[in-house]
Amino acid sequence: MKLKNTFVCVRMFASLCLIVTVLASSSMVALANSVKPIGELIVNGKSDKSVTVNGEPAASGRTIFAASTITTPDGMTAILDLGKAGKIELAPSTTYNLNSDGSLSGSLTAGSARVLNSASTVGIKTLTGDTVNLNAGDMVTANSATAKKNAANASDLDWWAWAVVFGVAAFFILYFTIKSDEDGTQASPVR
């Protein structure tokens, strides 16, 4: 009889421990965190090392929180997608610290970063101590104090360069049209 009472007490104690464990680890307690997710990480490339977020290995689809530190190894890039705030691409061998305000802004301590798109200007602090303001397509390196325009930017090839290209093409078309009329040749013979 004493053995039966001891067994019941042990069973009740184990049940109580299980209930406390379930409540402590449930979403209402575990997710009661003031830090909200602000975006996701997209990883590209192959390397024997992995992209890390706050020192932990991260794969594509990893949730990013404000004030995170993202590090990319050689041979791998990462894109921070913060939804409406925009996207920023981190080149290989880059360390980027996101600000705690939930925007793309942050500090670059190694490597380079390029703004793919953004709702507003992105301020990135570099090792020089300067905050560089970037627009979509602009790039900055950790040792730079100014933004570099992306080679794919239309502003890199000004309107006058396009005017020269089209002007030269029009000149040659007109020249060969007049030259063929002087020779007496016709574009299509009359039959």
Side-chain angles (χ1 to χ4, degrees), residues 27 30 37 44 46 99 125 142 181:
S27 63
N44 297 314
K46 293 192 181 217
N99 284 346
K125 187 175 182 178
D181 285 345

Side-chain angles (χ1 to χ4, degrees), residues 65-174:
F65 296 92
S68 293
T69 300
I70 296 97
T71 305
T72 59
D74 287 336
M76 296 189 78
T77 62
I79 296 174
L80 296 172
D81 184 358
L82 302 187
K84 291 181 182 178
K87 292 181 184 179
I88 189 168
E89 180 181 32
L90 305 177
S93 302
T94 297
T95 300
Y96 187 70
N97 303 312
L98 273 170
N99 284 346
S100 59
D101 62 0
S103 69
L104 284 175
S105 298
S107 61
L108 189 63
T109 57
S112 63
R114 181 171 57 110
V115 176
L116 299 177
N117 64 22
S118 177
S120 62
T121 302
V122 178
I124 297 178
K125 187 175 182 178
T126 62
L127 291 176
T128 62
D130 298 317
T131 299
V132 180
N133 292 318
L134 304 171
N135 295 313
D138 292 348
M139 179 179 157
V140 68
T141 60
N143 298 324
S144 176
T146 59
K148 298 176 186 173
K149 297 290 183 190
N150 186 3
N153 250 351
S155 64
D156 288 347
L157 192 56
D158 292 333
W159 67 270
W160 60 266
W162 287 110
V164 169
V165 169
F166 287 118
V168 169
F171 170 77
F172 279 111
I173 291 171
L174 190 60

